[in-house]
Amino acid sequence: MALLGGCVSGPADPTTTLPGLGDCLRQVEIKRLQRAIERCDSVVEAHPNHPQPRNERALLHSLAGDNKTACRDSLAAAKLLKLLPAQPPADPLLVEEIELRAKSCRLITNAPTADAPSPAGSGG
């Protein structure tokens, strides 16, 4: 048996060195949400034009109680979803989840505050 020593491998495959699309929610522990968010930040950075990582990061921010940041990611995911090519079609469950989160965020961000006057006006 001969051992080949000193072989040089080819350049690293970027698809294996970048975080994968599904890495945001891998091994998430509630006690370590900040670590999961930081890992997901890397996934978002590696896949800036794909809505899935932003959607998953929105979930993590929501679990951490940061609904404002969660909504920012949800609305960004919804925008990115519209930019995806029609072929191959996006995962229907992902589409539904993103649209639901974005709709909820639009309702929350467009809702009047308790101190705001009623949209119908009180006339008084």
Side-chain angles (χ1 to χ4, degrees), residues 50-52 56 81 84-86 88-99:
H50 201 285
Q52 180 179 339
E56 292 176 355
L81 185 62
L84 284 180
D91 174 6
L93 291 176
L94 177 65
V95 171
E96 183 176 356
E97 184 177 339
I98 289 172
E99 289 174 351

PDB file of all heavy atoms in Angstrom, residues 50-52 56 81 84-86 88-99:
ATOM      1  N   HIS A  50     -31.991  35.446  -0.690  1.00  0.00           N
ATOM      2  CA  HIS A  50     -32.958  34.371  -0.461  1.00  0.00           C
ATOM      3  C   HIS A  50     -33.790  34.706   0.781  1.00  0.00           C
ATOM      4  O   HIS A  50     -33.254  35.094   1.810  1.00  0.00           O
ATOM      5  CB  HIS A  50     -32.244  33.031  -0.284  1.00  0.00           C
ATOM      6  CG  HIS A  50     -33.146  31.881  -0.543  1.00  0.00           C
ATOM      7  ND1 HIS A  50     -34.113  31.482   0.356  1.00  0.00           N
ATOM      8  CD2 HIS A  50     -33.256  31.058  -1.603  1.00  0.00           C
ATOM      9  CE1 HIS A  50     -34.765  30.458  -0.141  1.00  0.00           C
ATOM     10  NE2 HIS A  50     -34.264  30.171  -1.343  1.00  0.00           N
ATOM     11  N   PRO A  51     -35.099  34.537   0.694  1.00  0.00           N
ATOM     12  CA  PRO A  51     -35.959  34.913   1.821  1.00  0.00           C
ATOM     13  C   PRO A  51     -35.925  33.962   3.014  1.00  0.00           C
ATOM     14  O   PRO A  51     -36.210  34.378   4.134  1.00  0.00           O
ATOM     15  CB  PRO A  51     -37.360  34.928   1.201  1.00  0.00           C
ATOM     16  CG  PRO A  51     -37.281  34.011   0.034  1.00  0.00           C
ATOM     17  CD  PRO A  51     -35.874  34.131  -0.488  1.00  0.00           C
ATOM     18  N   GLN A  52     -35.565  32.702   2.812  1.00  0.00           N
ATOM     19  CA  GLN A  52     -35.640  31.724   3.890  1.00  0.00           C
ATOM     20  C   GLN A  52     -34.821  32.103   5.124  1.00  0.00           C
ATOM     21  O   GLN A  52     -35.349  32.065   6.243  1.00  0.00           O
ATOM     22  CB  GLN A  52     -35.235  30.338   3.395  1.00  0.00           C
ATOM     23  CG  GLN A  52     -35.304  29.276   4.476  1.00  0.00           C
ATOM     24  CD  GLN A  52     -34.913  27.903   3.978  1.00  0.00           C
ATOM     25  OE1 GLN A  52     -34.945  27.635   2.796  1.00  0.00           O
ATOM     26  NE2 GLN A  52     -34.541  27.029   4.897  1.00  0.00           N
ATOM     27  N   GLU A  56     -36.353  32.772   8.884  1.00  0.00           N
ATOM     28  CA  GLU A  56     -35.952  31.998  10.050  1.00  0.00           C
ATOM     29  C   GLU A  56     -35.348  32.889  11.136  1.00  0.00           C
ATOM     30  O   GLU A  56     -35.573  32.680  12.326  1.00  0.00           O
ATOM     31  CB  GLU A  56     -34.988  30.889   9.637  1.00  0.00           C
ATOM     32  CG  GLU A  56     -35.704  29.839   8.800  1.00  0.00           C
ATOM     33  CD  GLU A  56     -34.815  28.747   8.268  1.00  0.00           C
ATOM     34  OE1 GLU A  56     -33.580  28.812   8.440  1.00  0.00           O
ATOM     35  OE2 GLU A  56     -35.362  27.809   7.656  1.00  0.00           O
ATOM     36  N   LEU A  81     -39.015  37.324  -1.476  1.00  0.00           N
ATOM     37  CA  LEU A  81     -39.835  36.251  -2.037  1.00  0.00           C
ATOM     38  C   LEU A  81     -40.361  36.643  -3.413  1.00  0.00           C
ATOM     39  O   LEU A  81     -40.380  35.832  -4.333  1.00  0.00           O
ATOM     40  CB  LEU A  81     -40.989  35.954  -1.084  1.00  0.00           C
ATOM     41  CG  LEU A  81     -41.896  34.791  -1.438  1.00  0.00           C
ATOM     42  CD1 LEU A  81     -41.109  33.487  -1.448  1.00  0.00           C
ATOM     43  CD2 LEU A  81     -43.041  34.705  -0.440  1.00  0.00           C
ATOM     44  N   LEU A  84     -37.757  36.130  -6.244  1.00  0.00           N
ATOM     45  CA  LEU A  84     -37.297  34.796  -6.620  1.00  0.00           C
ATOM     46  C   LEU A  84     -37.779  34.455  -8.022  1.00  0.00           C
ATOM     47  O   LEU A  84     -38.893  34.822  -8.403  1.00  0.00           O
ATOM     48  CB  LEU A  84     -37.831  33.740  -5.640  1.00  0.00           C
ATOM     49  CG  LEU A  84     -37.177  33.640  -4.280  1.00  0.00           C
ATOM     50  CD1 LEU A  84     -37.858  32.536  -3.461  1.00  0.00           C
ATOM     51  CD2 LEU A  84     -35.698  33.370  -4.380  1.00  0.00           C
ATOM     52  N   PRO A  85     -36.969  33.733  -8.786  1.00  0.00           N
ATOM     53  CA  PRO A  85     -37.417  33.317 -10.112  1.00  0.00           C
ATOM     54  C   PRO A  85     -38.632  32.390 -10.006  1.00  0.00           C
ATOM     55  O   PRO A  85     -38.772  31.660  -9.020  1.00  0.00           O
ATOM     56  CB  PRO A  85     -36.211  32.585 -10.698  1.00  0.00           C
ATOM     57  CG  PRO A  85     -35.246  32.393  -9.598  1.00  0.00           C
ATOM     58  CD  PRO A  85     -35.631  33.283  -8.467  1.00  0.00           C
ATOM     59  N   ALA A  86     -39.481  32.424 -11.020  1.00  0.00           N
ATOM     60  CA  ALA A  86     -40.695  31.607 -11.013  1.00  0.00           C
ATOM     61  C   ALA A  86     -40.379  30.117 -11.142  1.00  0.00           C
ATOM     62  O   ALA A  86     -41.148  29.277 -10.698  1.00  0.00           O
ATOM     63  CB  ALA A  86     -41.627  32.044 -12.128  1.00  0.00           C
ATOM     64  N   PRO A  88     -37.273  27.241 -10.501  1.00  0.00           N
ATOM     65  CA  PRO A  88     -38.286  26.352  -9.946  1.00  0.00           C
ATOM     66  C   PRO A  88     -39.148  27.103  -8.937  1.00  0.00           C
ATOM     67  O   PRO A  88     -38.686  28.069  -8.326  1.00  0.00           O
ATOM     68  CB  PRO A  88     -37.461  25.261  -9.258  1.00  0.00           C
ATOM     69  CG  PRO A  88     -36.198  25.950  -8.858  1.00  0.00           C
ATOM     70  CD  PRO A  88     -35.946  26.970  -9.939  1.00  0.00           C
ATOM     71  N   PRO A  89     -40.388  26.665  -8.762  1.00  0.00           N
ATOM     72  CA  PRO A  89     -41.271  27.377  -7.825  1.00  0.00           C
ATOM     73  C   PRO A  89     -40.759  27.265  -6.386  1.00  0.00           C
ATOM     74  O   PRO A  89     -40.157  26.269  -6.005  1.00  0.00           O
ATOM     75  CB  PRO A  89     -42.620  26.671  -7.989  1.00  0.00           C
ATOM     76  CG  PRO A  89     -42.310  25.358  -8.623  1.00  0.00           C
ATOM     77  CD  PRO A  89     -41.035  25.527  -9.386  1.00  0.00           C
ATOM     78  N   ALA A  90     -40.995  28.311  -5.622  1.00  0.00           N
ATOM     79  CA  ALA A  90     -40.585  28.321  -4.206  1.00  0.00           C
ATOM     80  C   ALA A  90     -41.432  27.315  -3.430  1.00  0.00           C
ATOM     81  O   ALA A  90     -42.563  27.009  -3.808  1.00  0.00           O
ATOM     82  CB  ALA A  90     -40.759  29.721  -3.634  1.00  0.00           C
ATOM     83  N   ASP A  91     -40.885  26.830  -2.354  1.00  0.00           N
ATOM     84  CA  ASP A  91     -41.586  25.893  -1.478  1.00  0.00           C
ATOM     85  C   ASP A  91     -42.883  26.547  -1.004  1.00  0.00           C
ATOM     86  O   ASP A  91     -42.859  27.616  -0.388  1.00  0.00           O
ATOM     87  CB  ASP A  91     -40.679  25.570  -0.290  1.00  0.00           C
ATOM     88  CG  ASP A  91     -41.340  24.710   0.774  1.00  0.00           C
ATOM     89  OD1 ASP A  91     -42.485  24.247   0.574  1.00  0.00           O
ATOM     90  OD2 ASP A  91     -40.688  24.483   1.805  1.00  0.00           O
ATOM     91  N   PRO A  92     -44.031  25.931  -1.286  1.00  0.00           N
ATOM     92  CA  PRO A  92     -45.308  26.554  -0.922  1.00  0.00           C
ATOM     93  C   PRO A  92     -45.461  26.823   0.577  1.00  0.00           C
ATOM     94  O   PRO A  92     -46.077  27.811   0.972  1.00  0.00           O
ATOM     95  CB  PRO A  92     -46.366  25.553  -1.391  1.00  0.00           C
ATOM     96  CG  PRO A  92     -45.666  24.510  -2.162  1.00  0.00           C
ATOM     97  CD  PRO A  92     -44.198  24.666  -1.976  1.00  0.00           C
ATOM     98  N   LEU A  93     -44.895  25.957   1.410  1.00  0.00           N
ATOM     99  CA  LEU A  93     -44.980  26.192   2.863  1.00  0.00           C
ATOM    100  C   LEU A  93     -44.160  27.404   3.274  1.00  0.00           C
ATOM    101  O   LEU A  93     -44.584  28.192   4.128  1.00  0.00           O
ATOM    102  CB  LEU A  93     -44.521  24.954   3.632  1.00  0.00           C
ATOM    103  CG  LEU A  93     -45.442  23.741   3.526  1.00  0.00           C
ATOM    104  CD1 LEU A  93     -44.828  22.544   4.240  1.00  0.00           C
ATOM    105  CD2 LEU A  93     -46.810  24.051   4.082  1.00  0.00           C
ATOM    106  N   LEU A  94     -42.991  27.572   2.654  1.00  0.00           N
ATOM    107  CA  LEU A  94     -42.164  28.743   2.931  1.00  0.00           C
ATOM    108  C   LEU A  94     -42.902  30.005   2.499  1.00  0.00           C
ATOM    109  O   LEU A  94     -42.946  30.993   3.238  1.00  0.00           O
ATOM    110  CB  LEU A  94     -40.815  28.638   2.219  1.00  0.00           C
ATOM    111  CG  LEU A  94     -39.886  29.836   2.367  1.00  0.00           C
ATOM    112  CD1 LEU A  94     -39.444  30.004   3.822  1.00  0.00           C
ATOM    113  CD2 LEU A  94     -38.677  29.681   1.458  1.00  0.00           C
ATOM    114  N   VAL A  95     -43.499  29.965   1.321  1.00  0.00           N
ATOM    115  CA  VAL A  95     -44.249  31.121   0.816  1.00  0.00           C
ATOM    116  C   VAL A  95     -45.375  31.485   1.773  1.00  0.00           C
ATOM    117  O   VAL A  95     -45.538  32.646   2.150  1.00  0.00           O
ATOM    118  CB  VAL A  95     -44.803  30.826  -0.598  1.00  0.00           C
ATOM    119  CG1 VAL A  95     -45.759  31.915  -1.052  1.00  0.00           C
ATOM    120  CG2 VAL A  95     -43.666  30.660  -1.594  1.00  0.00           C
ATOM    121  N   GLU A  96     -46.144  30.480   2.192  1.00  0.00           N
ATOM    122  CA  GLU A  96     -47.264  30.740   3.101  1.00  0.00           C
ATOM    123  C   GLU A  96     -46.781  31.314   4.431  1.00  0.00           C
ATOM    124  O   GLU A  96     -47.363  32.259   4.963  1.00  0.00           O
ATOM    125  CB  GLU A  96     -48.050  29.454   3.332  1.00  0.00           C
ATOM    126  CG  GLU A  96     -49.266  29.660   4.213  1.00  0.00           C
ATOM    127  CD  GLU A  96     -50.101  28.398   4.378  1.00  0.00           C
ATOM    128  OE1 GLU A  96     -49.782  27.375   3.746  1.00  0.00           O
ATOM    129  OE2 GLU A  96     -51.063  28.447   5.150  1.00  0.00           O
ATOM    130  N   GLU A  97     -45.708  30.750   4.968  1.00  0.00           N
ATOM    131  CA  GLU A  97     -45.187  31.219   6.249  1.00  0.00           C
ATOM    132  C   GLU A  97     -44.709  32.663   6.152  1.00  0.00           C
ATOM    133  O   GLU A  97     -45.012  33.497   7.013  1.00  0.00           O
ATOM    134  CB  GLU A  97     -44.043  30.315   6.711  1.00  0.00           C
ATOM    135  CG  GLU A  97     -43.521  30.678   8.075  1.00  0.00           C
ATOM    136  CD  GLU A  97     -42.445  29.725   8.556  1.00  0.00           C
ATOM    137  OE1 GLU A  97     -42.364  28.594   8.060  1.00  0.00           O
ATOM    138  OE2 GLU A  97     -41.681  30.146   9.434  1.00  0.00           O
ATOM    139  N   ILE A  98     -43.964  32.977   5.094  1.00  0.00           N
ATOM    140  CA  ILE A  98     -43.465  34.342   4.915  1.00  0.00           C
ATOM    141  C   ILE A  98     -44.622  35.319   4.756  1.00  0.00           C
ATOM    142  O   ILE A  98     -44.634  36.389   5.375  1.00  0.00           O
ATOM    143  CB  ILE A  98     -42.500  34.413   3.716  1.00  0.00           C
ATOM    144  CG1 ILE A  98     -41.191  33.700   4.063  1.00  0.00           C
ATOM    145  CG2 ILE A  98     -42.233  35.866   3.301  1.00  0.00           C
ATOM    146  CD1 ILE A  98     -40.239  33.539   2.903  1.00  0.00           C
ATOM    147  N   GLU A  99     -45.599  34.948   3.948  1.00  0.00           N
ATOM    148  CA  GLU A  99     -46.744  35.847   3.730  1.00  0.00           C
ATOM    149  C   GLU A  99     -47.540  36.064   5.013  1.00  0.00           C
ATOM    150  O   GLU A  99     -47.976  37.185   5.289  1.00  0.00           O
ATOM    151  CB  GLU A  99     -47.623  35.303   2.602  1.00  0.00           C
ATOM    152  CG  GLU A  99     -46.953  35.437   1.241  1.00  0.00           C
ATOM    153  CD  GLU A  99     -47.723  34.789   0.103  1.00  0.00           C
ATOM    154  OE1 GLU A  99     -48.715  34.068   0.358  1.00  0.00           O
ATOM    155  OE2 GLU A  99     -47.322  35.010  -1.068  1.00  0.00           O
TER     156      GLU A  99
END
